[in-house]
Amino acid sequence: MSERTPDGERTPEGERSPRDPAEAEREARERIAAFMAAADAPDAPDDAAAAPAAAPGEEPAEDEHEAGLKALLSSPLFAGPDPDVADEVLHEEEAGPSEAEQRAGAVAHAQAEEAVRRIYQAILSRAPEHDVQPSLQRVADVLELLGDPHKAYPLIHLTGTNGKTSTARMVERLLRERGLRTGRFTSPHLHSVRERIALDGQPISPEQFIATWEDVAPYVEMVDARSQAAGGPRLSFFEVFTVMAYAAFADAPVDVAVVEVGMGGRWDATNVADGTVEVLTRIDRDHERWLGHTLEEIAGEKVGIITDRSTVISADQAEEVDAVIMSAAAQHGARLLRDGQELEVLDRQLGVGGQLLTLRTPAGVYQDVFLPLHGEHQAHNAVLALAAVEAFFGGGALDGGVVEQGFANVDSPGRLELVRRSPTVLVDAAHNPAGIEALRAAVEEAFAFSHLVGVVGVMADKDAEGVLAGLEPLLSEVVVTHATTDRAMDVEELAEIAVDVFGEDRVHVAERLDDAIDKAATLAERDPEEVVTTTGVLVAGSVLLAAEARALMGKTSA
């Protein structure tokens, strides 16, 4: 058994970690103060009277203990350093790094980020996950060569159509509040590819990213060559990142990994690892080209992450999806907890910047839990996350303070996020009809807009008509645009669909996102009587569009 020191290093059982010098000094001062207080107390013995008398012509004898105490008190530990030396040290602390050191640090950071960008571009040249044959073998082969790092820690695995990232962030935050070191793997990223691999809630550093790539790259190349020799493909973009995440988590090392699938579940690269807890958020239609055209088919792929004797936490699902999940859980001998059955959001009250929740799990009822996210869907994500963490720790109730602090510190960038106040600009990554439905309900509940203008862009493979139709009751007008990617739907094509849904008078077009937001803000503020409290702009339809909108508003980290 080992314990972790404050800097993350493990020490063998029985060995004492190095003590903080400041703490040691503080304790020594307290002991001396206690001794002096006891000496000055009214009932303290008279040390002078107790001391032996001095011989004639000699200085009075001094108690040995008192002499040692005086020597200690006059030492630099208590008297303090030489004043000149102290002034010099304090001056250095106040001055901080020199300008040259700051420049050198900035240059080193820029070089590291450039190296990350080059690595990302190299990995990006690989096939996307859905363009390779369904198999876990390539990822398993690389991990085996690396020593199976994915088996070095327990894993909480998440799949579903919407809500995976928000739920993963809630799970991870609760685990950290319990004192565990965490790894989190989510996708896609908003601003930096390093966001996909997070350690203790923070994106992996550029230096760690580079080191991880250098560790895994030779083995990726070996498996690439082996696969191609057999007529197969190289590892895909997502497979490489999955390998990097599992390797980085083992190297950290983490106490637990929270891992979101890329797409589906059964053949998703992350599924080489077995979860102790699996979370299934709401399952709806998306990625139908690869996962199937019915809810049963899609659910059949998602439940592929369920493992033997695990605990499965499921959102409230459509009847046909629920049947698939129940059957899969029974086949694996897994314990199944479902929102609306064993789990429940008992109460929700709107609050400033979020909502106040009462949540029920098999372990108990948690009252007055503040969640700084909007929407009923986030409350249900919260009860899934809570149940997952309970299950991870054996099923018992969590400490109320852990739950309170954990949820209070949750954030989910790009999910109904307020990025500007004048005018009000909201950004959301919803990109399919089910996500748009949840978004619309959250906006209607939390904001009182009389004139809301949408800025909408979607990917070419998405249900653009379903996205626009879901937004139509919410928006007074819409400005169609696109994110800066080849995958985005052409603006003119999207405009034609928008006209069919909104009518020609309510549709505007802007090729560039910054122009689209500017146009939407102008339209929203057209009536000066509405500007103060009831107008706003909503950017939605694509994760990439949400990321670019955040960046335009000065939010470049997630």
Side-chain angles (χ1 to χ4, degrees):
M1 186 68 178
S2 64
E3 60 182 18
R4 191 182 303 280
T5 61
D7 60 359
E9 295 295 325
R10 294 186 182 274
T11 57
E13 185 176 1
E15 292 187 14
R16 186 179 299 275
S17 303
R19 296 187 62 195
D20 182 353
E23 182 181 353
E25 179 181 338
R26 209 165 36 245
E27 291 179 1
R29 284 181 181 274
E30 290 173 356
R31 288 197 297 270
I32 295 299
F35 179 88
M36 296 301 291
D40 291 337
D43 57 349
D46 188 345
D47 289 338
E58 294 181 351
E59 291 292 327
E62 185 176 55
D63 181 89
E64 182 178 350
H65 181 70
E66 183 177 349
L69 179 60
K70 287 182 178 179
L72 179 61
L73 289 174
S74 63
S75 72
L77 177 63
F78 292 98
D82 182 278
D84 294 336
V85 175
D87 288 342
E88 183 178 343
V89 172
L90 289 173
H91 178 72
E92 289 178 357
E93 290 180 351
E94 290 174 358
S98 68
E99 186 176 342
E101 290 172 332
Q102 292 179 21
R103 284 198 303 269
V107 169
H109 180 76
Q111 290 173 338
E113 288 287 18
E114 175 59 21
V116 169
R117 189 194 66 80
R118 288 197 303 268
I119 293 169
Y120 174 50
Q121 290 300 318
I123 301 173
L124 199 60
S125 67
R126 294 171 174 269
E129 181 78 351
H130 51 71
D131 278 355
V132 297
Q133 62 190 34
S135 172
L136 302 178
Q137 194 60 52
R138 292 176 296 277
V139 175
D141 286 348
V142 179
L143 291 173
E144 183 180 11
L145 291 171
L146 287 166
D148 290 329
H150 59 303
K151 297 180 181 179
Y153 39 80
L155 181 141
I156 297 177
H157 209 177
L158 297 95
T159 190
T161 303
N162 294 303
K164 296 187 298 294
T165 297
S166 292
T167 307
R169 294 178 77 101
M170 294 181 197
V171 168
E172 192 254 6
R173 194 64 191 81
L174 288 171
L175 292 168
R176 279 195 289 135
E177 198 64 36
R178 275 291 301 262
L180 298 189
R181 190 171 197 197
T182 59
R184 187 184 70 227
F185 183 50
T186 56
S187 60
H189 60 275
L190 288 174
H191 305 292
S192 168
V193 69
R194 295 187 290 103
E195 296 166 17
R196 292 173 179 250
I197 303 172
L199 300 171
D200 288 331
Q202 297 298 317
I204 188 171
S205 71
E207 295 76 14
Q208 288 172 305
F209 184 94
I210 296 165
T212 301
W213 167 247
E214 291 175 344
D215 285 344
V216 308
Y219 302 103
V220 169
E221 291 176 4
M222 289 172 60
V223 174
D224 280 345
R226 185 188 305 170
S227 177
Q228 289 178 310
R234 297 193 304 162
L235 272 77
S236 71
F237 166 87
F238 188 75
E239 287 173 334
V240 170
F241 266 101
T242 298
V243 168
M244 290 182 66
Y246 285 148
F249 295 160
D251 188 58
V254 302
D255 299 312
V256 54
V258 181
V259 175
E260 172 191 325
V261 305
M263 184 177 69
R266 185 183 311 279
W267 300 114
D268 187 78
T270 63
N271 204 30
V272 293
D274 292 338
T276 57
V277 179
E278 292 97 20
V279 180
L280 285 75
T281 64
R282 178 80 181 184
I283 296 174
D284 286 292
R285 287 182 171 83
D286 200 9
H287 301 297
E288 295 180 42
R289 177 179 170 186
W290 301 281
L291 301 181
H293 297 285
T294 68
L295 287 177
E296 292 94 332
E297 290 174 335
I298 295 170
E301 293 299 317
K302 304 282 188 183
V303 297
I305 71 168
I306 296 176
T307 57
D308 293 343
R309 296 177 298 280
S310 62
T311 299
V312 179
I313 313 294
S314 176
D316 182 26
Q317 307 283 3
E319 185 176 344
E320 56 266 50
V321 172
D322 199 38
V324 173
I325 294 172
M326 291 178 65
S327 175
Q331 290 174 13
H332 287 279
R335 182 189 185 203
L336 177 60
L337 303 176
R338 295 171 294 168
D339 188 4
Q341 300 293 325
E342 296 80 9
L343 317 173
E344 191 176 3
V345 178
L346 293 176
D347 188 50
R348 278 193 329 118
Q349 301 291 330
L350 294 183
V352 177
Q355 51 191 313
L356 201 63
L357 308 177
T358 300
L359 307 174
R360 177 179 66 83
T361 71
V365 175
Y366 300 82
Q367 296 180 319
D368 298 331
V369 176
F370 179 70
L371 180 68
L373 301 173
H374 295 293
E376 183 178 4
H377 62 294
Q378 295 289 18
H380 288 279
N381 289 340
V383 79
L384 298 182
L386 178 57
V389 176
E390 283 184 345
F392 179 78
F393 285 111
L398 301 181
D399 178 80
V402 167
V403 175
E404 180 181 345
Q405 290 300 315
F407 279 124
N409 289 303
V410 164
D411 63 352
S412 193
R415 276 71 181 178
L416 197 50
E417 181 182 13
L418 177 63
V419 296
R420 184 175 173 181
R421 294 186 180 275
S422 182
T424 298
V425 178
L426 301 170
V427 169
D428 195 271
H431 55 273
N432 55 47
I436 292 294
E437 181 180 350
L439 167 63
R440 186 182 71 232
V443 172
E444 290 174 342
E445 176 183 73
F447 300 90
F449 291 118
S450 63
H451 196 96
L452 182 63
V453 180
V455 173
V456 179
V458 300
M459 296 295 107
D461 62 339
K462 297 298 181 181
D463 181 3
E465 184 175 0
V467 167
L468 289 166
L471 289 170
E472 190 276 332
L474 183 66
L475 303 178
S476 301
E477 300 172 84
V478 63
V479 182
V480 296
T481 187
H482 64 87
T484 53
T485 173
D486 293 339
R487 294 177 51 214
M489 179 175 288
D490 178 76
V491 172
E492 295 301 326
E493 181 182 352
L494 184 58
E496 290 181 11
I497 300 172
V499 168
D500 289 340
V501 174
F502 283 81
E504 189 171 356
D505 293 344
R506 297 168 63 195
V507 177
H508 309 269
V509 177
E511 280 284 342
R512 291 175 28 162
L513 178 58
D514 54 350
D515 291 337
I517 294 176
D518 185 60
K519 183 185 287 288
T522 300
L523 292 168
E525 296 180 330
R526 196 162 40 194
D527 184 349
E529 294 182 0
E530 293 182 329
V531 168
V532 177
T533 58
T534 61
T535 65
V537 173
L538 172 65
V539 183
S542 158
V543 176
L544 288 175
L545 195 75
E548 291 181 11
R550 292 184 88 248
L552 285 172
M553 300 297 157
K555 294 181 175 290
T556 56
S557 65

